[in-house]
């Protein structure tokens, strides 16, 4: 029973790591292409709402105006319903899994001096 | 029916163990989903919950402490005695006792287990097999707690935009040791108080108690 527990609970689900990287890459590609609607599809509902409230504009218009350094997803870690994708430029993207699948919760995040104890500073988060 | 009666103790505890494990799954899922909704997240199914580290860290932190408790009790009662307790052996029998007392090697009889009769390494291993297996389950459960606990801890870290930690780093966190020690203290209290209370209190018919009329100072007698 213990072996079953560790095999099911100790690892990320198959494909989750690839999925969160894909969502991240899709978001940055859509922003770069000016496809605000597709970029917003990669954001969680709360993050979309936060962006619209912050910028006083529709998500698809506001998201392409964000000042976020684009980086390629180089590494992903998944923990239950939360994931973080590390980018080639040193930034990070945080995602969570809801009924719509994996969506971006926070983007443009730079680590603090003590990232284990002090939160990342994010350009956009819910 | 006779088989049921002869194995009643094991079957009874197996049944209530499984019932409690299922109950923990549903109540744990409900608590998890409550926290999810409170943080703007979506609820998850019970199937998803019972295959997550959130469930297994709570299960394993209790398993490891229970097996540690019995491992320590088995080991400590070889060497330590408690005057008046039915949990203790006689005050002058501390230690691993003689081969004759333990019916091993030349002192084994025809009904003794084979590994008690053959001598050598196999008898040495068999002489400590209960402690070896209980210790192994404890270590495996504690390791499992650390692996699943780290995953649950890191999920919470990311939820708060904090960095995830390695397994080695997790072993130094207060989360790991708080989960561990809150279980250890209760096990140590329960087993220690049982050894002492059984000096003065009785339960008629239970082998965990002395006979009701046995004197308080009688040691190592079971009812």
């Amino acid at each position: 029973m213990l072996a079953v527990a560790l095999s099911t609970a100790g690892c990320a689900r198959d494909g989750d790591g690839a999925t969160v990287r894909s969502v991240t890459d899709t978001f940055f590609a859509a922003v770069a292409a000016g496809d605000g609607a597709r970029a917003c599809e990669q954001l969680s509902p709360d993050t979309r709402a936060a962006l619209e409230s912050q910028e006083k504009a529709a998500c698809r218009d506001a998201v392409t105006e964000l000042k976020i350094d684009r980086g390629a997803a180089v590494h992903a870690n998944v923990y239950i319903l939360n994931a973080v994708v590390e980018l080639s430029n040193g930034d990070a993207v945080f995602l969570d899994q809801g009924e719509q699948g994996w969506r971006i919760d926070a983007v443009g995040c730079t680590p603090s001096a003590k990232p284990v104890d002090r939160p990342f500073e994010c350009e956009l988060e819910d | 029916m006779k088989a049921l009666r002869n194995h009643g103790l094991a079957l009874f505890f197996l049944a209530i163990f499984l019932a409690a494990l299922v109950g923990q799954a549903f109540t744990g899922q409900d608590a998890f989903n409550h926290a999810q909704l409170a943080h703007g997240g979506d609820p998850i199914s019970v199937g998803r919950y019972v295959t997550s580290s959130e469930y297994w860290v709570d299960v394993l932190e209790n398993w490891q402490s229970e097996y540690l408790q019995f491992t320590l009790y088995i080991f400590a009662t070889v060497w330590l005695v408690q005057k008046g307790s039915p949990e203790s052996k006689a005050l002058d029998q501390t230690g691993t006792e003689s081969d004759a007392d333990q019916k091993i090697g030349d002192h084994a009889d025809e009904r003794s287990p084979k590994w008690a009769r053959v001598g050598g390494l196999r008898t040495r291993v068999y002489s400590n097999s209960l402690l070896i297996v209980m210790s192994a389950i404890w270590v495996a459960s504690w390791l499992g707690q650390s692996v699943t606990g780290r995953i649950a801890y890191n999920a919470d870290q990311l939820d708060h935009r904090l960095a995830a930690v390695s397994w080695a780093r997790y072993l130094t966190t207060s989360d790991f040791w708080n989960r561990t020690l809150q279980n250890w203290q209760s096990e140590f209290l329960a087993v220690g108080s049982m050894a002492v209370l059984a000096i003065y209190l009785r339960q008629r018919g239970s082998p965990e108690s002395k006979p009701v009329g046995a004197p308080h100072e009688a040691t190592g007698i079971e009812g």
Side-chain angles (χ1 to χ4, degrees):
Chain A
M1 184 177 268
L2 190 58
V4 173
L6 289 177
S7 65
T8 58
C11 308
R13 267 145 225 280
D14 287 346
D16 276 348
T19 301
V20 297
R21 289 173 62 157
S22 171
V23 169
T24 302
D25 285 336
T26 300
F27 173 80
F28 283 118
V31 170
D35 187 350
R38 185 156 175 73
C40 287
E41 286 172 5
Q42 315 310 313
L43 300 176
S44 70
D46 286 348
T47 306
R48 278 201 299 269
L51 175 62
E52 290 176 343
S53 171
Q54 182 181 307
E55 302 298 326
K56 304 281 189 290
C59 179
R60 63 179 176 277
D61 299 322
V63 74
T64 53
E65 301 299 318
L66 281 173
K67 301 285 182 280
I68 300 173
D69 287 341
R70 185 184 174 186
V74 292
H75 190 248
N77 281 316
V78 178
Y79 301 102
I80 310 179
L81 302 179
N82 294 86
V84 61
V85 174
E86 294 165 12
L87 305 179
S88 52
N89 61 7
D91 283 0
V93 175
F94 291 85
L95 302 93
D96 67 8
Q97 189 182 35
E99 289 172 348
Q100 297 177 336
W102 287 101
R103 292 290 181 271
I104 292 171
D105 230 13
V107 69
C109 302
T110 53
S112 62
K114 292 182 177 178
V116 171
D117 301 313
R118 295 279 180 270
F120 283 57
E121 293 286 337
C122 302
E123 286 295 322
L124 172 63
E125 61 183 326
D126 64 7
Chain B
M1 280 311 285
K2 192 177 176 186
L4 279 179
R5 191 202 65 182
N6 287 351
H7 300 285
L9 200 56
L11 291 171
F12 170 70
F13 277 100
L14 176 63
I16 62 172
F17 160 67
L18 292 174
L21 197 63
V22 170
Q24 184 186 345
F26 283 98
T27 54
Q29 179 219 9
D30 190 64
F32 182 83
N33 283 342
H34 182 75
Q36 277 288 105
L37 294 171
H39 287 90
D42 293 323
I44 61 173
S45 69
V46 73
R48 176 78 173 87
Y49 177 70
V50 298
T51 55
S52 77
S53 292
E54 284 284 351
Y55 177 64
W56 282 102
V57 66
D58 289 346
V59 170
L60 293 173
E61 72 175 45
N62 284 279
W63 285 9
Q64 64 85 8
S65 67
E66 303 298 340
Y67 280 95
L68 173 63
Q69 170 196 334
F70 281 107
T71 298
L72 285 179
Y73 208 47
I74 294 163
F75 180 74
T77 51
V78 173
W79 301 99
L80 302 176
V81 290
Q82 178 62 54
K83 186 177 180 183
S85 178
E87 300 294 321
S88 168
K89 52 188 180 178
L91 302 179
D92 58 357
Q93 284 187 334
T94 56
T96 53
E97 304 176 18
S98 68
D99 288 0
D101 288 336
Q102 291 292 314
K103 293 186 176 180
I104 57 177
D106 294 339
H107 304 280
D109 60 35
E110 68 280 1
R111 296 180 62 213
S112 298
K114 183 182 175 187
W115 280 38
R117 283 188 266 120
V118 292
L121 179 63
R122 280 183 291 176
T123 296
R124 275 211 302 282
V125 169
Y126 191 66
S127 297
N128 298 289
S129 54
L130 185 59
L131 193 64
I132 291 169
V133 170
M134 296 294 279
S135 302
I137 298 174
W138 166 55
V139 170
S141 302
W142 203 20
L143 180 65
Q145 177 199 323
S146 71
V147 171
T148 54
R150 171 183 169 256
I151 292 169
Y153 180 80
N154 278 343
D156 195 54
Q157 286 283 102
L158 298 194
D159 211 29
H160 294 93
R161 311 277 183 266
L162 296 166
V165 298
S166 67
W167 178 74
R169 174 84 182 257
Y170 178 66
L171 297 185
T172 69
T173 64
S174 52
D175 183 80
F176 174 69
W177 285 103
N178 185 44
R179 283 181 179 277
T180 296
L181 292 171
Q182 67 172 302
N183 283 281
W184 285 6
Q185 59 84 12
S186 65
E187 305 303 339
F188 299 160
L189 173 68
V191 79
S193 59
M194 169 76 179
V196 173
L197 289 173
I199 298 170
Y200 304 104
L201 305 177
R202 309 285 187 271
Q203 178 53 57
R204 183 171 178 164
S206 174
E208 300 305 311
S209 165
K210 293 190 281 194
V212 178
H216 293 333
E217 63 272 19
T219 305
I221 306 170
E222 294 181 344

